[in-house]
Every structure is written in C-alpha cells, then in structure tokens.
Amino acid sequence: MGLLDALNQVKQEKFDPSEGKTGSGFEKIPAGTYNVNLKEVNHGAWNSGTEYIRFTMEVLDGDEAGRQEFITPTLAEVSAKGKPIPDFVLATSIKTIKVIGQMAGFVVPDSVFAGQTETENYEAIAKAFQPYIGKVMQMTIKESRNKKDPDNPYRNYEFAQLEQPKKTAVKKDPFAGSGDTVNISDEDLPF
C-alpha cells in the first residue's frame, strides 16, 4: 500500500479531523477462516518490560490478503500485578504453541518450556520455530464475549493443516560454463 492508497482509505472511512481522534490504526481481522503463512515468530517485550512470544500469521488470499494476525500466548507464571497466572491459561498457551507447530509440520519439544526463566523459554521457542517460517496452514478466528470489556471480545483460534506449496526445481543455467564472455569497457557504455 502506498501513501495515496492510505489517503484513499482514510477518505473511505469518513475520517473527521475535527473530532480530534486518530484511532488505533489497527483493525482486527474479522472472525472467520483464513489460509495463512507463519510469517514470523519472535520474542520481545512491551514498554512495561513484560515479555512475550508472538506468532505473526499473514493472510494469503481473499478480501483480507496481506493482513496479519498476532497471536501472543503467555508463559508468564505471574501477572504484571504480581498475581499468579491460572494454570488453565498457561496450559492453553502451551497448547496454542504446540498446535501451531504441528500445523507447520513441527513437533514442538517439551524442552522449549523447561528453561530456568521465562526469557529462556521464549528464546528457545523463537529459535526452534525459525526453520518453519513460511509454512502455510488454515486459521479460524472465533470471538467470544468479554464480560469486562464488551468492545474487545476474546479471540480464540483453531488451526488445520494445509498442503505445503511445492518447491520448484531450479533448472541449470544454460549459459553456465559456455566459455562465452563479453568484455565491456567504460567507453562502450552510453553514459
């Protein structure tokens, strides 16, 4: 998308600068089923210092092609407020990571969850997934009610395997080794 495309998008949104609101600039992908590729797996930290592992899924086709969904399962055992994270939350995060791995053709080893620190676990997961970047799968987003924040429903994910694209064979360069070379000097160039 270029600058003029972005300007046209702003016009289509009926943006009114007199309201003084810029918005987040980020619209969630609507609930539904999408063919996606595993674009990136990275370990990072929010401004608060809270760490995360993020799986970036890029939609491959349809009306949402090119858009991204960020899935950030947590392995933190304590919240930012110092409260213990419930076991079911941690279990769901582990399941999410293992399912994404399985759909990409990777059996996620238990060892990536056995680090001495949360940082070690996130680093191990990010490193283990690197050979699977670019793998395709089907992702279904389902939303459920969030009682505390009804404007931001919970997003739940289901995944299914897709056949991976076949790599095309690279044909041998027909000119390689022919011994024919052309020498061009600066005087031969038109500029």
Side-chain angles (χ1 to χ4, degrees), residues 38-58:
L38 180 58
K39 182 172 179 146
E40 186 177 33
V41 179
N42 69 325
H43 167 222
W46 307 110
N47 290 338
S48 65
T50 303
E51 295 181 76
Y52 61 83
I53 186 78
R54 178 171 44 211
F55 294 84
T56 303
M57 303 294 187
E58 182 176 45

Side-chain angles (χ1 to χ4, degrees), residues 79-124:
S79 74
K81 295 180 181 179
K83 294 182 179 180
I85 300 290
D87 288 346
F88 80 90
V89 172
L90 294 171
T92 300
S93 292
I94 291 169
K95 289 176 186 177
T96 300
I97 293 165
K98 285 189 169 266
V99 167
I100 291 171
Q102 188 70 43
M103 296 308 122
F106 173 43
V107 178
V108 178
D110 292 347
S111 61
V112 301
F113 304 104
Q116 296 297 311
T117 65
E118 182 183 346
T119 299
E120 288 178 12
N121 293 332
Y122 289 147
E123 284 295 319

Side-chain angles (χ1 to χ4, degrees), residues 135-173:
K135 298 294 184 178
V136 298
M137 63 191 76
Q138 189 175 73
M139 175 181 71
T140 299
I141 302 170
K142 294 182 178 181
E143 292 185 339
S144 60
R145 187 171 169 252
N146 179 346
K147 293 177 190 175
K148 292 181 182 177
D149 188 0
D151 291 337
N152 291 303
Y154 294 115
R155 290 174 73 80
N156 303 295
Y157 302 95
E158 293 178 8
F159 297 92
Q161 287 184 318
L162 288 178
E163 185 176 336
Q164 298 301 316
K166 305 252 187 292
K167 292 185 178 183
T168 57
V170 178
K171 295 182 181 180
K172 187 176 177 181
D173 183 354

